[in-house]
Coordinates of all heavy atoms in Angstrom, one line a residue:
Y6 N 3.7 2.8 -6.8 CA 5.2 2.7 -6.8 C 5.7 2.0 -5.5 O 6.6 1.1 -5.5 CB 5.8 4.1 -6.9 CG 7.3 4.0 -7.4 CD1 7.6 4.0 -8.7 CD2 8.3 3.8 -6.4 CE1 8.9 3.9 -9.1 CE2 9.6 3.7 -6.8 CZ 9.9 3.7 -8.1 OH 11.2 3.6 -8.6
A7 N 5.1 2.3 -4.4 CA 5.5 1.7 -3.1 C 5.2 0.2 -3.1 O 6.0 -0.5 -2.6 CB 4.7 2.4 -1.9
L8 N 4.1 -0.2 -3.7 CA 3.8 -1.6 -3.8 C 4.8 -2.4 -4.7 O 5.3 -3.5 -4.3 CB 2.4 -1.9 -4.4 CG 1.2 -1.5 -3.5 CD1 -0.1 -1.5 -4.3 CD2 1.1 -2.5 -2.4
G9 N 5.2 -1.8 -5.8 CA 6.2 -2.5 -6.6 C 7.5 -2.5 -6.0 O 8.3 -3.5 -6.1
Y10 N 7.9 -1.4 -5.3 CA 9.2 -1.4 -4.6 C 9.2 -2.4 -3.5 O 10.3 -3.1 -3.3 CB 9.4 0.0 -4.0 CG 10.8 0.2 -3.3 CD1 11.9 0.5 -4.0 CD2 10.9 -0.1 -1.9 CE1 13.2 0.7 -3.3 CE2 12.0 0.1 -1.3 CZ 13.2 0.4 -2.0 OH 14.4 0.6 -1.3
A11 N 8.2 -2.5 -2.7 CA 8.2 -3.4 -1.6 C 8.2 -4.9 -2.0 O 8.8 -5.8 -1.3 CB 6.9 -3.2 -0.7
A12 N 7.7 -5.2 -3.1 CA 7.8 -6.5 -3.6 C 9.2 -6.9 -4.2 O 9.6 -8.1 -4.1 CB 6.7 -6.7 -4.7
E13 N 9.9 -5.9 -4.6 CA 11.3 -6.2 -5.2 C 12.4 -5.9 -4.2 O 13.4 -6.7 -4.3 CB 11.5 -5.3 -6.4 CG 10.5 -5.6 -7.6 CD 10.9 -4.7 -8.7 OE1 11.8 -3.9 -8.6 OE2 10.1 -4.8 -9.8
R14 N 12.3 -5.0 -3.3 CA 13.4 -4.7 -2.4 C 13.5 -5.9 -1.3 O 12.5 -6.3 -0.7 CB 13.0 -3.4 -1.6 CG 13.9 -3.0 -0.5 CD 15.4 -2.7 -0.9 NE 16.2 -2.1 0.1 CZ 17.4 -1.9 0.1 NH1 18.1 -2.2 -1.0 NH2 18.1 -1.3 1.1
K15 N 14.7 -6.3 -1.1 CA 15.0 -7.4 -0.1 C 15.9 -6.9 1.0 O 16.8 -6.2 0.7 CB 15.6 -8.6 -0.9 CG 14.7 -9.4 -1.8 CD 15.4 -10.6 -2.4 CE 14.4 -11.4 -3.2 NZ 15.0 -12.7 -3.8
Q16 N 15.5 -7.3 2.2 CA 16.3 -7.1 3.4 C 16.1 -8.4 4.2 O 15.0 -9.0 4.2 CB 15.8 -5.9 4.2 CG 16.1 -4.6 3.5 CD 17.6 -4.3 3.5 OE1 18.2 -3.7 4.5 NE2 18.3 -4.6 2.4
F17 N 17.2 -8.8 4.9 CA 17.3 -10.0 5.7 C 16.9 -11.2 4.8 O 16.2 -12.2 5.3 CB 16.3 -9.9 6.9 CG 16.6 -8.6 7.7 CD1 15.7 -7.5 7.6 CD2 17.6 -8.6 8.5 CE1 16.0 -6.4 8.3 CE2 17.8 -7.4 9.4 CZ 17.1 -6.4 9.2
G18 N 17.2 -11.1 3.5 CA 17.0 -12.3 2.6 C 15.6 -12.4 2.1 O 15.3 -13.5 1.5
T19 N 14.7 -11.5 2.3 CA 13.3 -11.7 1.9 C 12.7 -10.3 1.5 O 13.2 -9.3 1.9 CB 12.4 -12.2 3.0 OG1 11.2 -12.6 2.5 CG2 12.3 -11.2 4.1
P20 N 11.8 -10.3 0.5 CA 11.1 -9.0 0.1 C 10.6 -8.3 1.3 O 9.9 -8.9 2.2 CB 10.1 -9.5 -0.8 CG 10.5 -10.7 -1.4 CD 11.2 -11.5 -0.2
I21 N 10.8 -7.0 1.4 CA 10.2 -6.3 2.6 C 8.6 -6.3 2.7 O 8.1 -6.1 3.7 CB 10.7 -4.8 2.6 CG1 10.2 -4.0 1.4 CG2 12.2 -4.7 2.7 CD1 10.5 -2.5 1.4
S22 N 8.1 -6.7 1.5 CA 6.6 -6.9 1.5 C 6.2 -8.0 2.4 O 5.0 -8.1 2.8 CB 6.0 -7.0 0.1 OG 6.6 -8.1 -0.5
D23 N 7.1 -8.9 2.8 CA 6.7 -10.0 3.7 C 6.6 -9.6 5.1 O 6.1 -10.3 6.0 CB 7.8 -11.1 3.6 CG 7.7 -11.9 2.3 OD1 6.8 -11.7 1.5 OD2 8.7 -12.6 1.9
F24 N 7.1 -8.3 5.4 CA 7.1 -8.0 6.9 C 5.7 -7.4 7.2 O 5.2 -6.5 6.6 CB 8.2 -6.9 7.1 CG 9.6 -7.5 6.8 CD1 10.5 -6.8 6.0 CD2 10.0 -8.7 7.4 CE1 11.8 -7.3 5.7 CE2 11.2 -9.2 7.1 CZ 12.1 -8.5 6.3
Q25 N 5.2 -7.8 8.3 CA 3.8 -7.5 8.6 C 3.7 -6.0 9.0 O 2.7 -5.4 8.6 CB 3.4 -8.2 9.9 CG 1.9 -8.2 10.1 CD 1.5 -9.0 11.4 OE1 1.9 -8.8 12.5 NE2 0.6 -10.0 11.1
G26 N 4.7 -5.4 9.5 CA 4.7 -4.0 9.8 C 4.5 -3.1 8.6 O 3.7 -2.2 8.5
L27 N 5.2 -3.5 7.5 CA 5.1 -2.8 6.2 C 3.7 -3.1 5.6 O 3.1 -2.2 5.0 CB 6.2 -3.2 5.4 CG 6.4 -2.3 4.1 CD1 6.9 -1.0 4.5 CD2 7.2 -2.9 3.0
Q28 N 3.3 -4.4 5.8 CA 2.0 -4.7 5.2 C 0.8 -3.9 5.8 O -0.1 -3.4 5.1 CB 1.7 -6.2 5.4 CG 2.5 -7.1 4.6 CD 2.3 -8.6 5.0 OE1 1.5 -9.0 6.0 NE2 3.0 -9.5 4.3
F29 N 1.0 -3.7 7.2 CA -0.1 -2.8 7.8 C 0.0 -1.4 7.2 O -1.1 -0.8 7.0 CB 0.2 -2.7 9.2 CG -0.2 -3.9 10.0 CD1 0.1 -4.0 11.4 CD2 -0.8 -5.0 9.4 CE1 -0.3 -5.2 12.1 CE2 -1.1 -6.1 10.1 CZ -0.9 -6.2 11.5
L30 N 1.2 -0.9 6.9 CA 1.3 0.5 6.3 C 0.7 0.5 4.9 O -0.2 1.5 4.6 CB 2.8 0.9 6.3 CG 3.1 2.3 5.8 CD1 2.5 3.3 6.8 CD2 4.6 2.5 5.7
L31 N 1.0 -0.5 4.1 CA 0.4 -0.5 2.7 C -1.1 -0.7 2.8 O -1.8 -0.2 2.0 CB 1.0 -1.7 2.0 CG 2.5 -1.5 1.7 CD1 3.1 -2.9 1.1 CD2 2.8 -0.4 0.7
A32 N -1.6 -1.5 3.8 CA -3.1 -1.7 3.9 C -3.7 -0.4 4.2 O -4.8 -0.1 3.5 CB -3.3 -2.7 5.0
D33 N -3.2 0.4 5.1 CA -3.8 1.7 5.4 C -3.8 2.6 4.2 O -4.7 3.3 4.0 CB -3.0 2.3 6.6 CG -3.4 1.7 7.9 OD1 -4.4 1.0 8.0 OD2 -2.6 1.9 8.9
M34 N -2.7 2.6 3.5 CA -2.6 3.4 2.2 C -3.7 3.0 1.3 O -4.3 3.9 0.7 CB -1.2 3.3 1.7 CG -0.1 3.8 2.5 SD 1.5 3.3 2.0 CE 1.8 4.0 0.4
G35 N -3.8 1.7 1.0 CA -4.8 1.2 0.1 C -6.3 1.6 0.5 O -7.0 1.9 -0.3
M36 N -6.5 1.4 1.8 CA -7.9 1.7 2.2 C -8.2 3.2 2.0 O -9.3 3.6 1.6 CB -7.9 1.4 3.7 CG -8.2 -0.1 4.1 SD -8.7 -0.4 5.8 CE -7.2 0.1 6.6
R37 N -7.3 4.1 2.4 CA -7.5 5.4 2.3 C -7.7 5.9 0.9 O -8.5 6.8 0.5 CB -6.4 6.2 3.0 CG -6.6 6.2 4.5 CD -5.4 6.6 5.3 NE -5.5 6.7 6.7 CZ -5.7 5.6 7.6 NH1 -5.6 4.4 7.0 NH2 -5.9 5.8 8.8
V38 N -6.9 5.4 -0.1 CA -7.0 5.7 -1.5 C -8.3 5.4 -2.0 O -9.1 6.2 -2.7 CB -5.8 5.2 -2.2 CG1 -6.1 5.3 -3.8 CG2 -4.5 5.8 -1.9
E39 N -8.8 4.2 -1.7 CA -10.0 3.7 -2.2 C -11.3 4.4 -1.6 O -12.2 4.8 -2.4 CB -10.3 2.2 -1.9 CG -11.3 1.6 -2.7 CD -11.2 1.8 -4.2 OE1 -10.1 1.6 -4.8 OE2 -12.2 2.3 -4.8
A40 N -11.1 4.8 -0.3 CA -12.2 5.6 0.3 C -12.3 7.0 -0.4 O -13.4 7.5 -0.6 CB -12.0 5.7 1.8
A41 N -11.1 7.5 -0.6 CA -11.1 8.9 -1.2 C -11.7 8.8 -2.6 O -12.4 9.7 -3.1 CB -9.6 9.4 -1.3
R42 N -11.3 7.8 -3.3 CA -11.8 7.6 -4.6 C -13.3 7.5 -4.7 O -14.0 8.0 -5.5 CB -11.2 6.4 -5.4 CG -11.8 6.1 -6.8 CD -11.1 5.0 -7.5 NE -9.7 5.3 -7.8 CZ -8.6 4.7 -7.2 NH1 -8.8 3.8 -6.3 NH2 -7.4 5.1 -7.6
Q43 N -13.8 6.7 -3.9 CA -15.3 6.5 -3.8 C -16.1 7.8 -3.5 O -17.1 8.1 -4.1 CB -15.7 5.4 -2.8 CG -15.2 4.0 -3.1 CD -15.8 3.5 -4.5 OE1 -16.9 3.8 -4.8 NE2 -15.0 2.7 -5.2
M44 N -15.5 8.5 -2.5 CA -16.1 9.8 -2.1 C -16.0 10.8 -3.4 O -17.1 11.5 -3.6 CB -15.5 10.5 -0.9 CG -16.1 11.7 -0.5 SD -15.3 12.4 0.9 CE -16.0 11.4 2.2
T45 N -14.9 10.8 -4.0 CA -14.7 11.7 -5.3 C -15.7 11.3 -6.4 O -16.3 12.2 -7.0 CB -13.3 11.6 -5.7 OG1 -12.4 12.0 -4.6 CG2 -13.1 12.5 -6.8
Y46 N -15.9 10.0 -6.7 CA -16.8 9.7 -7.7 C -18.2 9.9 -7.3 O -19.0 10.4 -8.2 CB -16.6 8.0 -8.0 CG -15.4 7.8 -8.7 CD1 -14.3 8.7 -8.9 CD2 -15.1 6.5 -9.1 CE1 -13.1 8.3 -9.6 CE2 -14.0 6.1 -9.8 CZ -12.9 7.0 -10.1 OH -11.9 6.7 -10.7
A47 N -18.6 9.8 -6.0 CA -19.9 10.1 -5.7 C -20.2 11.6 -5.8 O -21.2 12.0 -6.3 CB -20.1 9.7 -4.1
A48 N -19.1 12.4 -5.4 CA -19.3 13.8 -5.6 C -19.3 14.3 -7.1 O -20.1 15.2 -7.4 CB -18.1 14.6 -4.9
A49 N -18.6 13.5 -7.9 CA -18.7 13.8 -9.4 C -20.1 13.5 -9.9 O -20.7 14.3 -10.8 CB -17.7 12.9 -10.1
G50 N -20.7 12.4 -9.4 CA -22.1 12.2 -9.8 C -23.0 13.4 -9.3 O -23.9 13.7 -10.1
K51 N -22.9 13.9 -8.2 CA -23.6 15.0 -7.7 C -23.4 16.2 -8.5 O -24.3 17.0 -8.7 CB -23.4 15.2 -6.2 CG -24.0 14.1 -5.3 CD -23.6 14.2 -3.8 CE -24.2 13.0 -3.1 NZ -25.8 13.0 -3.1

């Protein structure tokens, strides 16, 4: 939902997803979700 919102919401005449500060936040979110998923799937195998 955050990714979709960031791509559509505009401030200062541009989507907020263009702002590097927000990109860093989204990048951290994506990394953590994927790391959690990989650990969870590994645990499921065990």
Side-chain angles (χ1 to χ4, degrees):
Y6 200 91
L8 288 168
Y10 181 89
E13 293 182 3
R14 172 69 170 168
K15 290 186 177 181
Q16 289 289 277
F17 307 101
T19 187
I21 62 173
S22 59
D23 289 344
F24 300 130
Q25 191 177 61
L27 193 74
Q28 290 175 357
F29 286 175
L30 186 61
L31 294 170
D33 285 341
M34 293 162 69
M36 282 191 292
R37 284 164 172 73
V38 171
E39 194 54 49
R42 177 178 291 111
Q43 294 297 327
M44 181 179 282
T45 300
Y46 288 7
K51 291 176 177 295

